[in-house]
Amino acid sequence: MRKKVFVRTYGCQMNVRDSEVICGLLQKAGYRISATDQGADIIIFNTCSVRKHAEDRVWSLVGSYKGSKIIGLVGCMAQNYKEQAFARDANISFVVGPQDIDKIPVIIEKVLRGQSPSGDNPLLFERKLWETDSSIRPEEIYHMGFYQDKEHAYVVISEGCSNFCSYCVVPYVRGPLRHRKHKDILTEIWEAITHGITKVTLLGQNVNAYQDNQVDFAKLLCQVNALSGLKEVDFFTSNPKDASIDFFKAIRDLGKLAKRLHLPLQSGSDRILKLMNRGYAAKDYLALIDSYRKIVKGGRLTTDIIVGFPTETDEEFKETCALVKKARFNAAYIFKYSSRPGTEAAKIVDELKPNELEKRHKKILDLQRGISKELRSR
Ligand code: SAH
Ligand code: SF4
Ligand code: F3S
């Protein structure tokens, strides 16, 4: 009987795509992919470490399975905890970081063999299995043809991040920024089109930093836009420090591109932006969105904001609110600062009191809700 695997996904779109890659690899290796944990022999948690809350949810769910199934911890938490994950929860049989997902079928096979007394070397697998050391992914994993959606596909254009924003765990768990070759990206999209895909979202932690020889992000968008069979092209996430006029013009001119931009602001205070290591000041951000709006007439604009970065004063918080009022985002994801061990910001001990954090979070959420509602009603 072929074993059944259920992959449960947390975190960003990158993980959604990685889970498809994992399912594709496992299907090819002879496993059945299950849509729920019911009846699954193996459960894989593809996890996120960006905020503590994201990790807590996974730890509590992993603990709830109590030895009845084979549990794998993969993705960003796997990289964050490495072999320590086994000490944290004895239910976990294998731990695989994001750069090593191609090895999951082999690892599961070893786990399965290790559990059987007739396995070739059961002793070897008394030590639990973990794999978190690779720095690159083999190109083949992107060509498994497994898609969750009939029409829409996520396409990874770059992996990792080298920006080291001081609060962020991503560069530590995903490694440095690496660009896929533009030819490989186009081949992957072409294959997706033959599977019936008509919409793609290009993915990277910082898509507009894309560079493969002469091909930058605006050029890549142009090449993707030209693929016949595709109807809609979108991308995620852009970084203000790498946004250019050419990039905005590409959004305006390319017919298949969604006329929208997600441009994370994080804070409206220059002192906090500097502490965050974001590489721009509030006035640079405002100038940038001003040119975006002049070039892409009627284009949507959304953002991410972190409230309660260590040492953020009430005045500095108000600067963020003032920028939100000025910018008039269509929507904003507003996060409470979460200290991530190992990051630069985690060394700043002066964190906001939880009730003050709560207050600021609610205040800016209400402010943005009002703006979003007003823009929607127009
Ligand atoms: N690469 C993307 C997004 C990465 S994480 C970018 O730079 O925009 C998505 C969002 O999570 C970030 O934009 C930020 O607002 C938020 N975030 C990241 N680390 C965080 C932390 N430690 N605490 C709270 N929010 C965080
Ligand atoms: Fe994290 Fe900054 Fe990289 Fe985004 S750009 S993933 S916030 S380090
Ligand atoms: Fe989370 Fe990893 Fe994405 S930390 S936000 S799943 S890159």
Side-chain angles (χ1 to χ4, degrees), residues 201-267:
T201 302
L202 308 179
L203 291 183
Q205 294 300 342
N206 184 355
V207 280
N208 48 334
Y210 182 81
Q211 195 76 52
D212 173 35
N213 291 317
Q214 301 305 309
V215 181
D216 64 5
F217 188 56
K219 285 215 181 86
L220 180 71
L221 283 175
C222 190
Q223 293 177 345
V224 174
N225 186 76
L227 291 173
S228 58
L230 264 196
K231 288 185 190 143
E232 281 177 34
V233 181
D234 204 352
F235 52 84
F236 202 82
T237 305
S238 313
N239 193 303
K241 80 178 172 57
D242 298 301
S244 66
I245 299 297
D246 273 358
F247 165 51
F248 296 156
K249 285 184 178 161
I251 302 176
R252 177 191 65 193
D253 296 337
L254 299 171
K256 295 174 189 173
L257 249 65
K259 306 302 168 205
R260 60 170 176 239
L261 180 65
H262 183 71
L263 198 64
L265 163 69
Q266 312 302 2
S267 170

Side-chain angles (χ1 to χ4, degrees), residues 62-325:
V62 166
S64 73
Y65 281 100
K66 294 277 176 278
S68 53
K69 299 174 191 289
I70 293 173
I71 305 285
L73 186 79
V74 314
C76 297
M77 275 175 77
Q79 193 68 38
N80 207 13
Y81 289 86
K82 300 194 174 77
E83 75 274 33
Q84 287 166 25
F86 298 123
R88 182 86 189 235
D89 194 311
N91 266 343
I92 296 171
S93 293
F94 61 93
V95 173
V96 181
Q99 281 73 259
D100 292 277
I101 55 175
D102 59 302
K103 303 181 187 81
I104 290 176
V106 170
I107 286 179
I108 292 181
E109 203 185 305
K110 285 183 181 176
V111 170
L112 289 170
R113 272 194 280 138
Q115 283 185 337
S116 134
S118 60
D120 51 7
N121 188 357
L123 275 181
L124 187 64
F125 305 113
E126 277 176 16
R127 282 180 52 223
K128 305 217 169 183
L129 289 162
W130 57 286
E131 191 77 65
T132 56
D133 288 341
S134 289
S135 55
I136 52 155
R137 293 172 158 193
E139 175 59 28
E140 311 89 79
I141 67 166
Y142 290 117
H143 303 272
M144 293 295 139
F146 189 102
Y147 298 103
Q148 294 288 0
D149 195 286
K150 284 196 182 68
E151 290 169 16
H152 172 262
Y154 287 116
V155 179
V156 174
I157 65 164
S158 57
E159 299 160 1
C161 183
S162 301
N163 286 335
F164 288 95
C165 300
S166 64
Y167 50 82
C168 184
V169 77
V170 172
Y172 302 91
V173 292
R174 290 270 170 174
L177 178 65
R178 289 143 287 154
H179 306 288
R180 282 180 69 201
K181 293 199 168 61
H182 73 280
K183 290 241 165 66
D184 290 340
I185 295 167
L186 294 172
T187 304
E188 180 184 342
I189 299 175
W190 187 242
E191 289 164 2
I193 294 170
T194 66
H195 277 87
I197 297 291
T198 57
K199 303 173 188 173
V200 294
T201 302
L202 308 179
L203 291 183
Q205 294 300 342
N206 184 355
V207 280
N208 48 334
Y210 182 81
Q211 195 76 52
D212 173 35
N213 291 317
Q214 301 305 309
V215 181
D216 64 5
F217 188 56
K219 285 215 181 86
L220 180 71
L221 283 175
C222 190
Q223 293 177 345
V224 174
N225 186 76
L227 291 173
S228 58
L230 264 196
K231 288 185 190 143
E232 281 177 34
V233 181
D234 204 352
F235 52 84
F236 202 82
T237 305
S238 313
N239 193 303
K241 80 178 172 57
D242 298 301
S244 66
I245 299 297
D246 273 358
F247 165 51
F248 296 156
K249 285 184 178 161
I251 302 176
R252 177 191 65 193
D253 296 337
L254 299 171
K256 295 174 189 173
L257 249 65
K259 306 302 168 205
R260 60 170 176 239
L261 180 65
H262 183 71
L263 198 64
L265 163 69
Q266 312 302 2
S267 170
S269 147
D270 288 343
R271 190 186 72 91
I272 296 294
L273 283 170
K274 195 153 192 195
L275 279 178
M276 286 177 162
N277 190 30
R278 287 292 290 179
Y280 56 85
K283 67 168 182 354
D284 305 326
Y285 187 90
L286 282 170
L288 205 58
I289 63 172
D290 193 44
S291 18
Y292 167 70
R293 284 184 166 135
K294 279 191 182 126
I295 295 169
V296 187
K297 296 248 158 48
R300 271 176 66 86
L301 183 67
T302 54
T303 201
D304 289 348
I305 288 166
I306 299 177
V307 291
F309 186 87
T311 74
E312 181 190 79
T313 64
D314 201 44
E315 267 322 298
E316 288 162 341
F317 168 68
K318 283 185 182 135
E319 285 175 6
T320 305
C321 293
L323 206 153
V324 164
K325 275 186 205 151

